[in-house]
Structures are given as structure tokens and as C-alpha cells.
Amino acid sequence: MSYDDNNIFAKILRGEIPCKKIYEDDFVLSFYDINPQKKIHALVIPKGKYVDLDDFSQKASSEEMVGLLKGINTVAKKLGISVDVGKGYRALVNINEDGGQEVPHLHFHLFGGEKVGKMVSWILKLKEIF
Ligand code: AMP
């Protein structure tokens, strides 16, 4: 899939749409998700035009890759959910339609501020029900 310059995160990056910014540097922008699923629900996106994680893994420079990972850690620290303060969080990436991705600009979801639960056990429970 080619990158769509009109996706909502591209517009946020260009400043055409507002966001509740948490952090920004040369490589990433982080802001709060508009529809939070946990007490803390942040998004971290690379500044480069990457559709999804596969696209990023294939095309991004080493500098961009390091920048994104360091950006995630910096955001977790800023939000007070990092391991070094005894907390933790879930980092999640949806990839393409089968993976549940809606916005076609790579983004990491960071869920925290509470115990986020065991994702795998939820899936097993759903399988029991259906
Ligand atoms: P995904 O399903 O992984 O593509 O997630 C897209 C996420 O973007 C969802 O959690 C949305 O709530 C979130 N989202 C969509 N529009 C905005 C926006 N304008 N500002 C912040 N978050 C948004």
C-alpha cells in the first residue's frame, strides 16, 4: 500500500488537525488517543511517512528505528508508566486490515496507568464463548 498523505496522522504531523501532544523530537510525535481504551492511552508515531510496521521495518533508516524505540521509552517515562519507576504498560501495533489497523500511518499504542490485564487470556475466553 502506498502512503496516503491525507490520513489523519499525516494531518496532525502537518499541524492541520490539533492533538493533545505529549512529546515531540526529530523522529517521533506522541499524543493522547482521542478514544482512550485505558486510563492512559498514548500514541507514538514516527515523523517519516510509513504506512505500517512492515513498511517501516523495510524502509526506515537505522537512525529512524532507534529514534522510534527511544521515543517510546521517553514517552513512557514522561507519562510515569515506565519500568524504572516500578510501573509498566502495553505497547501494541496493529498492522494492516487483518491486524485491525484503521489509520494508515504507523503508530504504537501505549496503554497504562492501571493493570492492563492479560491479553492472551482474553482471547482464550472469547474463544470459549463463541
Ligand atoms: P488503529 O486501529 O491501530 O489504526 O488505531 C487508530 C487509533 O487512532 C484509534 O485508537 C483512534 O481512537 C485514534 N485516533 C483517530 N483519530 C485520532 C485523532 N484525531 N487524535 C488522536 N487519536 C486518534
Side-chain angles (χ1 to χ4, degrees):
M1 193 203 290
S2 60
Y3 186 82
D4 171 13
D5 272 312
N6 284 319
N7 79 73
I8 197 130
F9 293 169
K11 289 180 180 175
I12 287 176
L13 277 169
R14 291 196 296 267
E16 293 166 13
I17 289 178
C19 69
K20 278 180 71 183
K21 194 195 283 188
I22 299 165
Y23 175 74
E24 182 173 13
D25 63 22
D26 287 348
F27 298 104
V28 299
L29 174 66
S30 175
F31 47 94
Y32 287 102
D33 195 291
I34 206 167
N35 183 22
Q37 301 300 307
K38 294 290 172 194
K39 260 190 195 161
I40 294 177
H41 184 173
L43 298 171
V44 184
I45 71 174
K47 288 202 166 168
K49 297 179 179 184
Y50 300 104
V51 180
D52 55 39
L53 189 59
D54 279 2
D55 189 31
F56 184 79
S57 302
Q58 289 170 67
K59 297 182 194 154
S61 66
S62 304
E63 219 185 0
E64 287 174 300
M65 290 183 185
V66 172
L68 178 56
L69 286 179
K70 285 198 176 292
I72 290 168
N73 180 245
T74 302
V75 171
K77 283 184 169 168
K78 261 185 121 43
L79 293 172
I81 58 174
S82 62
V83 172
D84 57 344
V85 291
K87 303 288 183 183
Y89 58 99
R90 174 172 295 142
L92 180 139
V93 188
N94 295 322
I95 302 165
N96 209 4
E97 204 182 325
D98 280 7
Q101 182 178 4
E102 285 175 1
V103 179
H105 180 112
L106 170 61
H107 49 283
F108 276 75
H109 295 259
L110 305 190
F111 300 106
E114 60 182 308
K115 291 219 185 313
V116 296
K118 288 191 172 124
M119 202 163 77
V120 173
S121 67
W122 269 105
I123 291 166
L124 291 175
K125 277 205 176 90
L126 283 174
K127 277 188 178 159
E128 280 168 24
I129 294 166
F130 295 106

